[in-house]
Amino acid sequence: MTTPALLPLSGRRIPPLNLGPPSFPHHRATLRLSEKFILLLILSAFITLCFGAFFFLPDSSKHKRFDLGLEDVLIPHVDAGKGAKNPGVFLIHGPDEHRHREEEERLRNKIRADHEKALEEAKEKLRKSREEIRAEIQTEKNKVVQEMKIKENKPLPPVPIPNLVGISGGDPEDSDIREKREKIKEMMKHAWDNYRTYGWGHNELRPIARKGHSPNIFGSSQMGATIVDALDTLYIMGLHAEFLDGQRWIEDNLDFSVNSEVSVFEVNIRFIGGLLAAYYLSGEEIFKIKAVQLAEKLLPAFNTPTGIPWAMVNLKSGVGRNWGWASAGSSILAEFGTLHMEFMHLSYLTGDLIYYKKVMHIRKLLQKMDRPNGLYPNYLNPRTGRWGQYHTSVGGLGDSFYEYLLKAWLMSDKTDHEARKMYDDAIEAIEKHLIKKSRGGLVFIGEWKNGHLEKKMGHLACFAGGMFALGADGSRTDKAGHYLELGAEIARTCHESYDRTALKLGPESFKFDGAVEAVAVRQAEKYYILRPEVIETYWYLWRFTHDPRYRQWGWEAALAIEKYCRVSGGFSGVKDVYSSTPTHDDVQQSFFLAETLKYLYLLFSGDDLLPLEHWVFNTEAHPLPVLHLANTTLSGNPAVR
């Protein structure tokens, strides 16, 4: 998961009118008499002006193109001989002039009556106290809000639900493995319960300070990111009371009509992905409705000259922009390339092809572009459609783009051959230019920067071991064994990055220069923020090989997290994995509950829990069902047809 650093919805909350407390000198509890008189004069003058202006309009009987009555009709002239429309317009006049004057008099009388009625209403309003006015405003506001909620929560068109297999169970036969799985479940409960107590409704938790926390990717709003991100993990673990708590909060409090600038990528993978997964697992309609409401808010981000979305969008105004540090205003490959899974499911569930068209447009544009050495640079300018600086990475800024090419193919029941071809082409270029072996025999994925290979691998890139294993079946020229082995080699390297630290937890990135291998050199790269990528790869390798080393390595990581990251108020990242007395960063990331603990739980579960033949996990570990050809939006969805 990359961590860098709207068709408007009709149901917008109307902000309350702030009349101010009486104690403020510039607010008065009631209007003075002089103020009432002045206000009446202004209102009366304005209406009188509008009324009087009617008499100074040109005589409609002399310049008649249309009339407030329906006696005159504007029609095009048709040449009967040619049957073609003449651009000239002919006016068919109504009855005589006397009738028009009667109509004008009727309209004058109506305006005069409206004028008098408006004055009376204004006088009535000004007789009321401040409290009465506030009560009326609140009543009207409540009425509008209720109407909005009814409109927002209207049911979506019915669609056939894919065959959902293995949404519960997975109980291991081995008692030792069962105990380990129960321990992971207990860790999840500790993380959730403390968030429930100290950070409820906030995006994340500060477990030491015991208060809410929100990173800039969610703007200034409290959108309950941890709740949405953790829902499917709770469900899979059988923590149904906790799941219902989260569901109730979402029903009552999750509102996207907020003046907040959010990361399109992060909100898509965490919120839309989390809501869709919760819907498929539980069948509760509210999750689908909320996912669609949010998706509508993200759509204005695509309003760029190229259709490549902005990195951030304001959920209320729809205004988008890019990160200031991203190569002269470029969009980021891993961000705009990690929308396909969720958007395809949105089109499937709603019958609206707009989501499908947005992501397919991105794909078509990328296919037309030249790629240096067959590699995709991490930056693309959404205004010019040109690459930014030539920097390619399978870690941060690039990672999940490649993951989603493969998973688009898997999610389509292996019918999206275009996505599979793009994936195969990409990993062949990656293997040729980025994957190397160190002097000590460790296979790593470097980063390409302006024609130079930097021998550094990020923790984020460790997901690729699982990706290579997942994509082995179906690879070109019968190279399944090769890619499964490559995935195993990446898993071994990433395990070494953990094993060579004091805490047995991996650093943010590690180098392979000379005698230094799989070790962080700079202080700014020595932290661990509860990331899941290494455990993710262990799980995929376990599923495909059942080699016990992956469960052993996963348990080592779980024990290290329990020992060094657990605090009384939850779990916290650490600032230096090479220090035997670590300092905590005091943040319980939402992805810790969504990914790290979920992958650990699955690692110690049977293969019948969320089998990979039926489920594809988005980059935030939210499981989405395979859309078999008979059920896809492009063929069998009756809502589309």
Side-chain angles (χ1 to χ4, degrees):
M1 181 189 68
T2 302
T3 305
L6 299 169
L7 298 174
L9 198 63
S10 59
R12 292 190 177 183
R13 298 283 178 88
I14 298 176
L17 181 64
N18 185 5
L19 298 176
S23 59
F24 285 6
H26 56 285
H27 290 291
R28 294 173 174 82
T30 57
L31 295 171
R32 295 175 181 174
L33 181 60
S34 59
E35 291 172 329
K36 291 183 179 180
F37 182 68
I38 291 169
L39 193 58
L40 278 171
L41 281 178
I42 293 171
L43 184 60
S44 177
F46 176 73
I47 297 174
T48 303
L49 180 63
C50 295
F51 176 65
F54 180 86
F55 296 98
F56 293 95
L57 293 173
D59 188 345
S60 59
S61 65
K62 296 177 183 177
H63 308 283
K64 195 184 298 294
R65 182 176 171 87
F66 61 88
D67 189 34
L68 291 176
L70 299 178
E71 287 80 11
D72 291 352
V73 183
L74 191 65
I75 61 171
H77 171 68
V78 179
D79 188 322
K82 297 180 181 179
K85 288 189 177 180
N86 188 304
V89 177
F90 284 72
L91 188 66
I92 306 301
H93 289 284
D96 57 19
E97 190 74 15
H98 177 70
R99 183 171 178 179
H100 288 296
R101 288 183 177 176
E102 287 181 347
E103 182 65 20
E104 288 177 355
E105 184 63 26
R106 183 183 67 79
L107 290 171
R108 287 191 186 96
N109 291 336
K110 183 178 185 304
I111 292 172
R112 188 180 295 110
D114 290 344
H115 168 80
E116 293 173 355
K117 182 180 179 182
L119 283 176
E120 285 302 316
E121 288 180 352
K123 290 177 183 177
E124 183 65 27
K125 289 285 183 188
L126 292 172
R127 291 190 192 103
K128 294 182 178 181
S129 68
R130 175 175 175 273
E131 288 71 21
E132 289 174 316
I133 294 172
R134 286 188 67 130
E136 285 187 3
I137 291 172
Q138 188 61 44
T139 299
E140 287 300 313
K141 177 187 170 186
N142 291 339
K143 181 180 177 182
V144 170
V145 168
Q146 288 303 316
E147 289 174 353
M148 288 177 175
K149 283 186 175 181
I150 292 170
K151 191 170 184 180
E152 282 182 354
N153 295 330
K154 63 181 180 182
L156 293 166
V159 295
I161 298 299
N163 186 26
L164 303 180
V165 177
I167 61 176
S168 61
D171 298 321
E173 295 181 1
D174 186 287
S175 60
D176 179 60
I177 300 301
R178 274 202 309 274
E179 288 178 11
K180 288 174 178 174
R181 190 170 85 144
E182 283 302 308
K183 177 57 184 176
I184 303 304
K185 183 175 178 179
E186 186 277 328
M187 292 169 70
M188 177 68 182
K189 193 157 170 39
H190 178 71
W192 174 265
D193 287 348
N194 279 283
Y195 169 78
R196 181 74 175 82
T197 302
Y198 303 115
W200 193 239
H202 290 267
N203 289 314
E204 291 176 337
L205 169 69
R206 290 196 178 277
I208 296 173
R210 299 191 177 190
K211 63 181 182 179
H213 166 69
S214 185
N216 65 340
I217 54 176
F218 302 122
S220 58
S221 58
Q222 293 184 21
M223 295 169 60
T226 294
I227 299 173
V228 180
D229 230 2
L231 276 176
D232 54 1
T233 307
L234 294 169
Y235 192 94
I236 292 163
M237 291 184 176
L239 296 171
H240 295 302
E242 291 81 356
F243 179 89
L244 288 174
D245 277 347
Q247 179 180 332
R248 280 190 288 267
W249 186 90
I250 287 170
E251 289 174 340
D252 297 338
N253 301 285
L254 187 55
D255 177 21
F256 303 121
S257 299
V258 291
N259 184 19
S260 189
E261 188 180 55
V262 301
S263 163
V264 174
F265 162 75
E266 296 286 355
V267 165
N268 175 63
I269 65 171
R270 301 195 200 201
F271 281 82
I272 294 181
L275 290 166
L276 290 176
Y279 165 68
Y280 282 119
L281 291 171
S282 70
E284 294 293 337
E285 191 82 4
I286 185 63
F287 299 128
K288 178 171 67 172
I289 291 170
K290 291 290 185 181
V292 174
Q293 289 175 7
L294 178 55
E296 289 179 336
K297 293 289 189 179
L298 298 187
L299 286 176
F302 292 83
N303 294 337
T304 66
T306 61
I308 297 295
W310 299 114
M312 293 174 287
V313 70
N314 186 295
L315 292 177
K316 188 164 190 174
S317 69
V319 174
R321 69 180 180 94
N322 276 341
W323 304 105
W325 49 264
S327 187
S330 290
S331 297
I332 297 167
L333 181 69
E335 296 193 338
F336 66 76
T338 309
L339 302 166
H340 188 95
M341 289 180 64
E342 297 82 1
F343 275 44
M344 288 294 285
H345 272 274
L346 287 166
S347 278
Y348 170 71
L349 291 171
T350 64
D352 190 343
L353 288 178
I354 189 169
Y355 307 105
Y356 164 79
K357 289 177 178 177
K358 294 295 185 186
V359 292
M360 291 306 292
H361 175 79
I362 294 172
R363 180 189 289 185
K364 297 300 182 186
L365 188 147
L366 291 174
Q367 286 179 319
K368 294 176 183 177
M369 298 187 67
D370 292 330
R371 298 187 298 278
N373 295 319
L375 299 171
Y376 289 89
N378 289 338
Y379 301 105
L380 180 61
N381 192 300
R383 291 190 176 92
T384 66
R386 297 176 181 174
W387 297 119
Q389 67 187 79
Y390 283 177
H391 174 205
T392 297
S393 169
V394 183
L397 308 179
D399 50 6
S400 47
F401 165 71
Y402 307 102
E403 175 188 357
Y404 269 40
L405 289 177
L406 172 63
K407 290 181 175 180
W409 175 70
L410 292 168
M411 196 181 72
S412 71
D413 199 18
K414 302 182 180 180
T415 60
D416 188 350
H417 301 296
E418 184 178 67
R420 179 73 210 210
K421 181 183 184 302
M422 291 177 71
Y423 171 76
D424 288 334
D425 289 345
I427 63 170
E428 284 178 5
I430 287 167
E431 187 170 12
K432 181 177 180 181
H433 297 286
L434 304 185
I435 296 180
K436 303 295 178 184
K437 182 174 285 191
S438 71
R439 293 179 183 178
L442 295 178
V443 175
F444 66 95
I445 310 174
E447 298 186 11
W448 191 265
K449 289 188 176 180
N450 297 316
H452 171 71
L453 182 69
E454 186 174 3
K455 296 179 179 180
K456 180 179 78 171
M457 184 171 176
H459 192 290
L460 288 164
C462 285
F463 92 98
M467 179 180 71
F468 291 140
L470 184 62
D473 185 25
S475 56
R476 289 175 180 164
T477 62
D478 198 26
K479 295 177 70 174
H482 167 73
Y483 284 115
L484 191 59
E485 180 60 29
L486 180 58
E489 289 292 337
I490 296 298
R492 185 168 77 93
T493 298
C494 293
H495 174 256
E496 286 297 317
S497 76
Y498 274 51
D499 202 45
R500 298 180 185 192
T501 70
L503 305 185
K504 304 303 180 186
L505 293 170
E508 182 69 5
S509 63
F510 41 94
K511 292 201 170 186
F512 297 86
D513 282 337
V516 176
E517 293 194 357
V519 173
V521 176
R522 297 172 56 231
Q523 186 62 40
E525 298 171 340
K526 295 180 178 181
Y527 61 88
Y528 172 72
I529 56 171
L530 306 172
R531 287 204 186 276
E533 290 77 20
V534 174
I535 296 166
E536 175 184 355
T537 278
Y538 294 165
W539 175 62
Y540 278 113
L541 267 295
W542 164 256
R543 278 285 176 103
F544 288 112
T545 69
H546 284 184
D547 188 329
R549 82 174 75 178
Y550 299 115
R551 278 184 165 172
Q552 177 190 337
W553 291 351
W555 186 241
E556 289 173 4
L559 291 177
I561 292 169
E562 174 74 4
K563 183 174 182 180
Y564 296 109
C565 299
R566 182 167 182 150
V567 295
S568 60
F571 288 88
S572 168
V574 293
K575 296 181 178 180
D576 187 346
V577 293
Y578 299 96
S579 170
S580 56
T581 55
T583 303
H584 293 105
D585 64 12
D586 196 19
V587 178
Q588 180 174 281
Q589 307 278 350
S590 80
F591 57 70
F592 177 64
L593 292 82
E595 299 185 76
T596 310
L597 292 174
K598 182 186 287 134
Y599 283 130
L600 280 169
Y601 187 79
L602 291 172
L603 182 61
F604 298 108
S605 297
D607 294 358
D608 58 323
L609 180 58
L610 298 172
L612 293 175
E613 297 82 13
H614 297 276
W615 297 89
V616 184
F617 289 71
N618 87 336
T619 199
E620 190 78 357
H622 295 307
L624 300 175
V626 170
L627 294 177
H628 297 285
L629 186 60
N631 293 335
T632 60
T633 298
L634 303 182
S635 60
N637 184 344
V640 174
R641 294 188 300 181

